Amino acid sequence: MNGRAPSSLAAVLARVWDENRQVMRQRLEVLNRAATAARSGVLTPELRSEALAVAHKLAGSLGMFGLAEASQWAATIEAMLESDAFDSQPLSAAVEKLNSALPLEEC
Amino acid sequence: VSKRLLIIDDEPDIRTVAAASLQLVGGFTVISAGSGEEGLMKARQEAPDAIILDLMMPVMSGRETLQALKRDPALSCIPVILLTAKVHGVQQDEWQHAGAAGVLFKPFDPMKLAEQVSVILGWEAQKEAGAR
């Protein structure tokens, strides 16, 4: 994922990314569910809290795989979910951007 | 003899990448722990040269772990670098007051992590002085 890394480190990064691909998918799914629920006005405190934790983890980890844009979108989503002035439309847009920025398809 | 670092973070992928980065790029020996409790135990067992500590962990947070490290006379002199997400950026006076040596932000660049750790701990200067 990170083209500048020496081959041994690049191999570790690629292996960890592959091992965590399913976890990343599950985390993204939580955010998709939260965005859908927010648009429908039925986002529960439990799902919001789960989505907040997931966004935090994605924000902190995606960048080390060279996915700076995805990491930034996750951080944006985290900040939105933490905010008292919470709005479903920007959240949905940010989750959509994160979906686009994450290369989760198997080759 | 390479410096020995203890990484305490509840996220396995971050522990793995940080350990690989510090070992392969920095030449450090790395010990890992997945919780504050495990981190305290390994700090006592392994007496590392420094500790990298995630702030946001379940059960025993990074702040609680740091307090426990600083309360223990056998561990209080080990420098601790806090690891935190940018969105939860901590103020310099806050971490200095808590007794931390510095702060690293997630997401970190695996190619730069070892250098950042060395700079915070003053190990680069030691290495240069030793080479002269």
Side-chain angles (χ1 to χ4, degrees):
Chain A
M1 301 299 301
N2 193 328
R4 293 168 300 126
S7 58
S8 50
L9 180 57
V12 172
L13 288 168
R15 176 177 57 79
V16 173
W17 176 258
D18 279 341
E19 287 172 358
N20 283 276
R21 201 184 288 268
Q22 186 60 25
V23 173
M24 299 294 179
R25 256 193 218 106
Q26 289 166 352
R27 289 176 176 173
L28 195 56
E29 183 50 36
V30 170
L31 296 182
N32 286 330
R33 277 196 287 120
T36 301
R39 279 199 307 273
S40 306
V42 293
L43 178 61
T44 62
E46 291 77 17
L47 181 53
R48 182 171 173 171
S49 177
E50 186 185 3
L52 178 61
V54 159
H56 175 77
K57 288 177 179 177
L58 288 172
S61 63
L62 291 174
M64 66 185 185
F65 297 105
L67 300 168
E69 184 188 350
S71 180
Q72 188 54 54
W73 280 117
T76 299
I77 293 163
E78 181 184 7
M80 286 177 177
L81 288 166
E82 270 187 328
S83 169
D84 292 333
F86 171 72
D87 189 340
S88 65
Q89 289 301 325
L91 176 70
S92 290
V95 170
E96 191 55 43
K97 293 282 190 185
L98 177 59
N99 274 279
S100 301
L102 262 184
L104 288 175
E105 284 75 31
E106 306 260 10
C107 298
Chain B
V1 179
S2 66
K3 299 280 191 183
R4 300 164 77 246
L5 290 170
L6 169 61
I7 301 172
I8 307 174
D9 195 308
D10 63 308
E11 285 290 296
D13 54 343
I14 289 176
R15 284 200 309 275
T16 303
V17 172
S21 166
L22 293 164
Q23 287 167 344
L24 297 170
V25 180
F28 299 119
T29 299
V30 179
I31 307 144
S32 295
S35 68
E37 294 89 340
E38 186 186 2
L40 289 171
M41 186 184 71
K42 289 200 170 173
R44 292 186 187 105
Q45 288 173 346
E46 306 282 346
D49 294 299
I51 296 170
I52 299 175
L53 173 64
D54 181 31
L55 267 183
M56 192 175 279
M57 294 189 293
V59 188
M60 187 177 197
S61 72
R63 281 186 173 81
E64 290 166 333
T65 306
L66 179 60
Q67 286 168 359
L69 286 164
K70 294 301 169 189
R71 273 198 306 267
D72 187 329
L75 307 176
S76 62
C77 290
I78 301 174
V80 178
I81 298 175
L82 300 176
L83 190 57
T84 183
K86 277 179 183 163
V87 74
H88 294 292
V90 290
Q91 299 298 316
Q92 184 171 346
D93 56 350
E94 186 186 349
W95 57 257
Q96 280 179 334
H97 182 70
V103 178
L104 288 170
F105 291 106
K106 293 181 187 177
F108 56 80
D109 181 340
M111 280 303 293
K112 295 180 180 166
L113 182 64
E115 183 187 354
Q116 290 171 323
V117 167
S118 294
V119 168
I120 288 172
L121 298 172
W123 289 352
E124 281 298 308
Q126 286 175 23
K127 201 161 69 180
E128 284 166 16
R132 280 198 291 268

